[in-house]
Amino acid sequence: MLLELLAERESLAVEDAAELLGVSTATVRRDMDHLAQQQLLVRTHGGAVAGNVSYDLPLRYKTARHAEEKGRIGQAAARLVRSGMVIGLNGGTTTTEASRAIALRGDAAGGDGAGEGRGEGWTATIVTNALNIASELTVRPRIRVVVTGGVAREKSYELIGPLAGHILEEVTLDVMFLGVDALHHTLGATAHHEVEASTNRLMASRARKVVVLADSSKLDRSAFARICHVREIHTVITDSAAPDEVVQQFEDQGVEIVRV
């Protein structure tokens, strides 16, 4: 929670953090010192500032941010999945929610998928470079998991780099559910880390349809490295707080916006 507050405010005094979190100032100072040792914030006299590294927080610190919105976005993504599909998922908290919702569809083995009603059963193939998503889905009997190669990135649990390309260049995806750090109507989908962006770009290029999953806090923003241009995005699933004017800007570019 301390890192989440700092990411939102960019700077934070010890006394303010203690009041907001309901803990002692001694606890806040100790936690700030510990996080500074991990280079997740920069200590100042009387508090802390985010520093460049804090804009790309490790996944374990992002899970509570906009959790309800991400859950709804994940459910909406899962409703687009039909039996027999090959689905791409990169790393991130929102794509993780989507993977769990897809898994629940498989567990229920019902709905309107392609094989249902003919005794064939519901199945899906997930291609992912996210280690956490792969580990959760591997135990699901109706889902086949394909994991890319690559070097594991500790902040996002994603496999990135040239090794991932050996697998991705050999597959075709029906839909890519793409998690992003930021999404802008002219600059496109972007990420903080350039190699992560490159790997995600390759995944998106292998898909017949690219669906960006992004809560409204990521809209009308940009990060360091481009993943893909707006013209390569078919649909954006976001939450109901997305402003009308921002939604219109994307729709003017030919992008379908789904607010949930």
mmCIF file of all heavy atoms in Angstrom, residues 1-3 5 12-38 41 43 46-48:
data_model
loop_
_atom_site.group_PDB
_atom_site.id
_atom_site.type_symbol
_atom_site.label_atom_id
_atom_site.label_comp_id
_atom_site.label_asym_id
_atom_site.label_seq_id
_atom_site.Cartn_x
_atom_site.Cartn_y
_atom_site.Cartn_z
ATOM 1 N N MET A 1 0.815 -1.208 0.000
ATOM 2 C CA MET A 1 0.000 0.000 0.000
ATOM 3 C C MET A 1 0.851 1.261 0.000
ATOM 4 O O MET A 1 0.472 2.261 -0.589
ATOM 5 C CB MET A 1 -0.931 -0.003 1.226
ATOM 6 C CG MET A 1 -2.022 -1.047 1.153
ATOM 7 S SD MET A 1 -3.146 -0.749 -0.232
ATOM 8 C CE MET A 1 -3.925 0.772 0.275
ATOM 9 N N LEU A 2 1.999 1.242 0.648
ATOM 10 C CA LEU A 2 2.868 2.406 0.673
ATOM 11 C C LEU A 2 3.342 2.775 -0.728
ATOM 12 O O LEU A 2 3.321 3.945 -1.126
ATOM 13 C CB LEU A 2 4.055 2.150 1.599
ATOM 14 C CG LEU A 2 5.050 3.295 1.783
ATOM 15 C CD1 LEU A 2 4.356 4.531 2.330
ATOM 16 C CD2 LEU A 2 6.172 2.864 2.728
ATOM 17 N N LEU A 3 3.752 1.778 -1.498
ATOM 18 C CA LEU A 3 4.197 2.036 -2.865
ATOM 19 C C LEU A 3 3.049 2.522 -3.742
ATOM 20 O O LEU A 3 3.252 3.351 -4.629
ATOM 21 C CB LEU A 3 4.822 0.779 -3.459
ATOM 22 C CG LEU A 3 6.262 0.473 -3.038
ATOM 23 C CD1 LEU A 3 6.721 -0.831 -3.645
ATOM 24 C CD2 LEU A 3 7.190 1.601 -3.441
ATOM 25 N N LEU A 5 0.466 4.326 -2.764
ATOM 26 C CA LEU A 5 0.261 5.727 -2.429
ATOM 27 C C LEU A 5 1.329 6.600 -3.072
ATOM 28 O O LEU A 5 1.043 7.666 -3.616
ATOM 29 C CB LEU A 5 0.301 5.907 -0.902
ATOM 30 C CG LEU A 5 -0.922 5.456 -0.106
ATOM 31 C CD1 LEU A 5 -0.626 5.556 1.388
ATOM 32 C CD2 LEU A 5 -2.132 6.305 -0.455
ATOM 33 N N LEU A 12 5.678 11.697 -0.696
ATOM 34 C CA LEU A 12 4.866 11.351 0.461
ATOM 35 C C LEU A 12 5.652 11.622 1.739
ATOM 36 O O LEU A 12 6.796 11.180 1.877
ATOM 37 C CB LEU A 12 4.470 9.871 0.389
ATOM 38 C CG LEU A 12 3.337 9.359 1.274
ATOM 39 C CD1 LEU A 12 2.025 10.077 0.951
ATOM 40 C CD2 LEU A 12 3.162 7.856 1.063
ATOM 41 N N ALA A 13 5.043 12.358 2.665
ATOM 42 C CA ALA A 13 5.661 12.612 3.959
ATOM 43 C C ALA A 13 5.356 11.447 4.897
ATOM 44 O O ALA A 13 4.308 10.800 4.789
ATOM 45 C CB ALA A 13 5.136 13.909 4.558
ATOM 46 N N VAL A 14 6.264 11.207 5.828
ATOM 47 C CA VAL A 14 6.090 10.103 6.775
ATOM 48 C C VAL A 14 4.790 10.260 7.555
ATOM 49 O O VAL A 14 4.021 9.301 7.711
ATOM 50 C CB VAL A 14 7.294 10.036 7.739
ATOM 51 C CG1 VAL A 14 7.009 9.084 8.895
ATOM 52 C CG2 VAL A 14 8.552 9.609 7.005
ATOM 53 N N GLU A 15 4.520 11.453 8.028
ATOM 54 C CA GLU A 15 3.317 11.680 8.834
ATOM 55 C C GLU A 15 2.050 11.444 8.026
ATOM 56 O O GLU A 15 1.079 10.846 8.521
ATOM 57 C CB GLU A 15 3.320 13.103 9.409
ATOM 58 C CG GLU A 15 4.376 13.369 10.456
ATOM 59 C CD GLU A 15 5.769 13.559 9.875
ATOM 60 O OE1 GLU A 15 5.876 13.686 8.616
ATOM 61 O OE2 GLU A 15 6.741 13.572 10.648
ATOM 62 N N ASP A 16 2.039 11.900 6.787
ATOM 63 C CA ASP A 16 0.860 11.689 5.937
ATOM 64 C C ASP A 16 0.639 10.207 5.663
ATOM 65 O O ASP A 16 -0.500 9.720 5.691
ATOM 66 C CB ASP A 16 1.027 12.434 4.607
ATOM 67 C CG ASP A 16 0.995 13.944 4.784
ATOM 68 O OD1 ASP A 16 0.487 14.408 5.822
ATOM 69 O OD2 ASP A 16 1.498 14.650 3.890
ATOM 70 N N ALA A 17 1.725 9.487 5.378
ATOM 71 C CA ALA A 17 1.607 8.052 5.117
ATOM 72 C C ALA A 17 1.089 7.314 6.337
ATOM 73 O O ALA A 17 0.248 6.409 6.224
ATOM 74 C CB ALA A 17 2.959 7.496 4.697
ATOM 75 N N ALA A 18 1.579 7.686 7.508
ATOM 76 C CA ALA A 18 1.140 7.034 8.740
ATOM 77 C C ALA A 18 -0.357 7.235 8.961
ATOM 78 O O ALA A 18 -1.079 6.299 9.345
ATOM 79 C CB ALA A 18 1.936 7.572 9.930
ATOM 80 N N GLU A 19 -0.831 8.459 8.706
ATOM 81 C CA GLU A 19 -2.259 8.747 8.884
ATOM 82 C C GLU A 19 -3.106 7.990 7.871
ATOM 83 O O GLU A 19 -4.152 7.414 8.221
ATOM 84 C CB GLU A 19 -2.500 10.246 8.749
ATOM 85 C CG GLU A 19 -3.952 10.658 8.960
ATOM 86 C CD GLU A 19 -4.153 12.158 8.866
ATOM 87 O OE1 GLU A 19 -3.141 12.888 8.783
ATOM 88 O OE2 GLU A 19 -5.325 12.602 8.856
ATOM 89 N N LEU A 20 -2.679 7.969 6.624
ATOM 90 C CA LEU A 20 -3.450 7.297 5.578
ATOM 91 C C LEU A 20 -3.492 5.791 5.764
ATOM 92 O O LEU A 20 -4.505 5.140 5.469
ATOM 93 C CB LEU A 20 -2.859 7.633 4.206
ATOM 94 C CG LEU A 20 -3.058 9.072 3.720
ATOM 95 C CD1 LEU A 20 -2.159 9.367 2.538
ATOM 96 C CD2 LEU A 20 -4.518 9.312 3.351
ATOM 97 N N LEU A 21 -2.394 5.218 6.245
ATOM 98 C CA LEU A 21 -2.306 3.763 6.397
ATOM 99 C C LEU A 21 -2.711 3.279 7.778
ATOM 100 O O LEU A 21 -2.843 2.072 7.995
ATOM 101 C CB LEU A 21 -0.875 3.299 6.088
ATOM 102 C CG LEU A 21 -0.382 3.558 4.655
ATOM 103 C CD1 LEU A 21 1.088 3.188 4.522
ATOM 104 C CD2 LEU A 21 -1.216 2.772 3.652
ATOM 105 N N GLY A 22 -2.878 4.204 8.721
ATOM 106 C CA GLY A 22 -3.284 3.820 10.062
ATOM 107 C C GLY A 22 -2.207 3.082 10.850
ATOM 108 O O GLY A 22 -2.511 2.177 11.624
ATOM 109 N N VAL A 23 -0.950 3.495 10.627
ATOM 110 C CA VAL A 23 0.166 2.860 11.336
ATOM 111 C C VAL A 23 1.027 3.957 11.957
ATOM 112 O O VAL A 23 0.807 5.151 11.749
ATOM 113 C CB VAL A 23 1.026 1.994 10.383
ATOM 114 C CG1 VAL A 23 0.206 0.858 9.806
ATOM 115 C CG2 VAL A 23 1.613 2.839 9.256
ATOM 116 N N SER A 24 2.031 3.555 12.733
ATOM 117 C CA SER A 24 2.900 4.527 13.393
ATOM 118 C C SER A 24 3.913 5.112 12.411
ATOM 119 O O SER A 24 4.225 4.509 11.382
ATOM 120 C CB SER A 24 3.642 3.867 14.558
ATOM 121 O OG SER A 24 4.576 2.922 14.058
ATOM 122 N N THR A 25 4.428 6.283 12.747
ATOM 123 C CA THR A 25 5.458 6.895 11.907
ATOM 124 C C THR A 25 6.726 6.043 11.897
ATOM 125 O O THR A 25 7.442 6.004 10.886
ATOM 126 C CB THR A 25 5.785 8.311 12.397
ATOM 127 O OG1 THR A 25 6.157 8.267 13.784
ATOM 128 C CG2 THR A 25 4.591 9.243 12.216
ATOM 129 N N ALA A 26 6.990 5.353 13.017
ATOM 130 C CA ALA A 26 8.171 4.477 13.069
ATOM 131 C C ALA A 26 8.052 3.350 12.055
ATOM 132 O O ALA A 26 9.028 2.977 11.391
ATOM 133 C CB ALA A 26 8.350 3.920 14.478
ATOM 134 N N THR A 27 6.838 2.799 11.912
ATOM 135 C CA THR A 27 6.607 1.733 10.936
ATOM 136 C C THR A 27 6.810 2.245 9.519
ATOM 137 O O THR A 27 7.432 1.591 8.680
ATOM 138 C CB THR A 27 5.185 1.173 11.088
ATOM 139 O OG1 THR A 27 5.052 0.568 12.374
ATOM 140 C CG2 THR A 27 4.885 0.112 10.022
ATOM 141 N N VAL A 28 6.296 3.440 9.236
ATOM 142 C CA VAL A 28 6.444 4.020 7.901
ATOM 143 C C VAL A 28 7.910 4.264 7.585
ATOM 144 O O VAL A 28 8.386 3.940 6.491
ATOM 145 C CB VAL A 28 5.638 5.324 7.778
ATOM 146 C CG1 VAL A 28 5.955 6.021 6.454
ATOM 147 C CG2 VAL A 28 4.146 5.042 7.866
ATOM 148 N N ARG A 29 8.669 4.812 8.553
ATOM 149 C CA ARG A 29 10.089 5.067 8.312
ATOM 150 C C ARG A 29 10.839 3.766 8.022
ATOM 151 O O ARG A 29 11.672 3.711 7.113
ATOM 152 C CB ARG A 29 10.709 5.776 9.526
ATOM 153 C CG ARG A 29 10.264 7.213 9.703
ATOM 154 C CD ARG A 29 11.106 7.918 10.750
ATOM 155 N NE ARG A 29 10.608 9.270 10.992
ATOM 156 C CZ ARG A 29 9.753 9.587 11.946
ATOM 157 N NH1 ARG A 29 9.297 8.655 12.774
ATOM 158 N NH2 ARG A 29 9.349 10.840 12.089
ATOM 159 N N ARG A 30 10.530 2.742 8.795
ATOM 160 C CA ARG A 30 11.182 1.453 8.591
ATOM 161 C C ARG A 30 10.849 0.881 7.214
ATOM 162 O O ARG A 30 11.731 0.392 6.501
ATOM 163 C CB ARG A 30 10.756 0.474 9.689
ATOM 164 C CG ARG A 30 11.469 -0.883 9.595
ATOM 165 C CD ARG A 30 11.106 -1.782 10.771
ATOM 166 N NE ARG A 30 9.682 -2.106 10.790
ATOM 167 C CZ ARG A 30 8.829 -1.661 11.714
ATOM 168 N NH1 ARG A 30 9.254 -0.858 12.669
ATOM 169 N NH2 ARG A 30 7.559 -1.998 11.669
ATOM 170 N N ASP A 31 9.573 0.975 6.822
ATOM 171 C CA ASP A 31 9.168 0.453 5.515
ATOM 172 C C ASP A 31 9.799 1.258 4.380
ATOM 173 O O ASP A 31 10.220 0.693 3.356
ATOM 174 C CB ASP A 31 7.644 0.468 5.387
ATOM 175 C CG ASP A 31 6.977 -0.582 6.263
ATOM 176 O OD1 ASP A 31 7.699 -1.465 6.778
ATOM 177 O OD2 ASP A 31 5.748 -0.517 6.424
ATOM 178 N N MET A 32 9.857 2.569 4.549
ATOM 179 C CA MET A 32 10.482 3.405 3.516
ATOM 180 C C MET A 32 11.960 3.072 3.365
ATOM 181 O O MET A 32 12.484 2.989 2.245
ATOM 182 C CB MET A 32 10.298 4.886 3.849
ATOM 183 C CG MET A 32 8.917 5.426 3.570
ATOM 184 S SD MET A 32 8.817 7.222 3.893
ATOM 185 C CE MET A 32 7.164 7.576 3.304
ATOM 186 N N ASP A 33 12.637 2.870 4.487
ATOM 187 C CA ASP A 33 14.062 2.512 4.432
ATOM 188 C C ASP A 33 14.258 1.175 3.726
ATOM 189 O O ASP A 33 15.168 1.010 2.908
ATOM 190 C CB ASP A 33 14.648 2.443 5.850
ATOM 191 C CG ASP A 33 14.789 3.817 6.495
ATOM 192 O OD1 ASP A 33 14.783 4.814 5.757
ATOM 193 O OD2 ASP A 33 14.889 3.870 7.738
ATOM 194 N N HIS A 34 13.377 0.223 4.027
ATOM 195 C CA HIS A 34 13.470 -1.107 3.412
ATOM 196 C C HIS A 34 13.235 -1.020 1.904
ATOM 197 O O HIS A 34 13.974 -1.631 1.110
ATOM 198 C CB HIS A 34 12.450 -2.041 4.053
ATOM 199 C CG HIS A 34 12.432 -3.424 3.465
ATOM 200 N ND1 HIS A 34 13.488 -4.298 3.561
ATOM 201 C CD2 HIS A 34 11.468 -4.081 2.760
ATOM 202 C CE1 HIS A 34 13.195 -5.423 2.938
ATOM 203 N NE2 HIS A 34 11.978 -5.316 2.445
ATOM 204 N N LEU A 35 12.230 -0.258 1.479
ATOM 205 C CA LEU A 35 11.929 -0.113 0.057
ATOM 206 C C LEU A 35 13.012 0.676 -0.667
ATOM 207 O O LEU A 35 13.294 0.424 -1.840
ATOM 208 C CB LEU A 35 10.565 0.555 -0.123
ATOM 209 C CG LEU A 35 9.364 -0.287 0.338
ATOM 210 C CD1 LEU A 35 8.098 0.565 0.367
ATOM 211 C CD2 LEU A 35 9.168 -1.501 -0.558
ATOM 212 N N ALA A 36 13.622 1.627 0.030
ATOM 213 C CA ALA A 36 14.733 2.369 -0.570
ATOM 214 C C ALA A 36 15.920 1.456 -0.837
ATOM 215 O O ALA A 36 16.616 1.591 -1.853
ATOM 216 C CB ALA A 36 15.148 3.521 0.342
ATOM 217 N N GLN A 37 16.159 0.495 0.048
ATOM 218 C CA GLN A 37 17.241 -0.466 -0.160
ATOM 219 C C GLN A 37 17.001 -1.312 -1.398
ATOM 220 O O GLN A 37 17.942 -1.760 -2.064
ATOM 221 C CB GLN A 37 17.397 -1.357 1.069
ATOM 222 C CG GLN A 37 17.938 -0.635 2.285
ATOM 223 C CD GLN A 37 17.925 -1.504 3.538
ATOM 224 O OE1 GLN A 37 17.507 -2.668 3.494
ATOM 225 N NE2 GLN A 37 18.369 -0.949 4.656
ATOM 226 N N GLN A 38 15.710 -1.539 -1.723
ATOM 227 C CA GLN A 38 15.361 -2.300 -2.926
ATOM 228 C C GLN A 38 15.257 -1.403 -4.162
ATOM 229 O O GLN A 38 14.890 -1.868 -5.232
ATOM 230 C CB GLN A 38 14.014 -3.010 -2.722
ATOM 231 C CG GLN A 38 14.006 -4.003 -1.576
ATOM 232 C CD GLN A 38 12.631 -4.649 -1.444
ATOM 233 O OE1 GLN A 38 12.147 -5.332 -2.346
ATOM 234 N NE2 GLN A 38 11.971 -4.423 -0.326
ATOM 235 N N LEU A 41 11.989 3.233 -4.098
ATOM 236 C CA LEU A 41 11.685 4.632 -3.837
ATOM 237 C C LEU A 41 12.978 5.337 -3.449
ATOM 238 O O LEU A 41 14.007 4.691 -3.236
ATOM 239 C CB LEU A 41 10.611 4.788 -2.751
ATOM 240 C CG LEU A 41 10.824 4.129 -1.380
ATOM 241 C CD1 LEU A 41 11.821 4.891 -0.513
ATOM 242 C CD2 LEU A 41 9.497 4.010 -0.657
ATOM 243 N N ARG A 43 14.471 7.963 -0.632
ATOM 244 C CA ARG A 43 14.213 8.598 0.660
ATOM 245 C C ARG A 43 14.592 10.062 0.614
ATOM 246 O O ARG A 43 15.580 10.455 0.003
ATOM 247 C CB ARG A 43 14.998 7.893 1.773
ATOM 248 C CG ARG A 43 14.429 6.573 2.185
ATOM 249 C CD ARG A 43 13.116 6.715 2.947
ATOM 250 N NE ARG A 43 13.306 6.765 4.387
ATOM 251 C CZ ARG A 43 12.830 7.729 5.175
ATOM 252 N NH1 ARG A 43 12.181 8.761 4.658
ATOM 253 N NH2 ARG A 43 13.016 7.686 6.471
ATOM 254 N N GLY A 46 12.245 13.493 5.806
ATOM 255 C CA GLY A 46 10.845 13.518 6.222
ATOM 256 C C GLY A 46 9.902 12.706 5.378
ATOM 257 O O GLY A 46 8.691 12.736 5.603
ATOM 258 N N GLY A 47 10.414 11.954 4.392
ATOM 259 C CA GLY A 47 9.508 11.165 3.581
ATOM 260 C C GLY A 47 10.198 10.436 2.457
ATOM 261 O O GLY A 47 11.300 9.926 2.621
ATOM 262 N N ALA A 48 9.536 10.393 1.280
ATOM 263 C CA ALA A 48 10.088 9.675 0.130
ATOM 264 C C ALA A 48 9.480 10.230 -1.147
ATOM 265 O O ALA A 48 8.392 10.820 -1.133
ATOM 266 C CB ALA A 48 9.801 8.182 0.234
#
